[in-house]
Amino acid sequence: MSQTKPAFDAARHLDAMAPALGLTITEAQRPGVLQFLGVAHLMSEILRAAPLDNASFELAPVFRPGRTSDGEPA
């Protein structure tokens, strides 16, 4: 038996995450925040559906700002 994924509930997500992140969302801001959470969810679904080849993953180079050990700019 396959399980269906529950639908994304932007309001529930906002109510749970805003306090966890220390955010105060006013009633005037809430509709806009909910709209953009919905947009972000749709974008994540597009990315999730993209086929990925696990063999093609490579680590990104590490950025270290500042100077190298010999004093030259990095």
Side-chain angles (χ1 to χ4, degrees), residues 33-54:
V33 173
L34 292 174
Q35 178 183 1
F36 284 102
L37 280 174
V39 170
H41 173 71
L42 291 174
M43 291 189 305
S44 74
E45 291 298 311
I46 292 169
L47 291 175
R48 188 181 311 226
L52 298 174
D53 178 13
N54 288 337

Side-chain angles (χ1 to χ4, degrees), residues 6-23 25 30 33-41 44 48:
F8 178 69
D9 185 342
R12 186 173 175 198
H13 185 76
L14 175 60
D15 293 340
M17 294 307 296
L21 296 170
L23 300 175
I25 307 298
R30 190 173 175 84
V33 173
L34 292 174
Q35 178 183 1
F36 284 102
L37 280 174
V39 170
H41 173 71
S44 74
R48 188 181 311 226

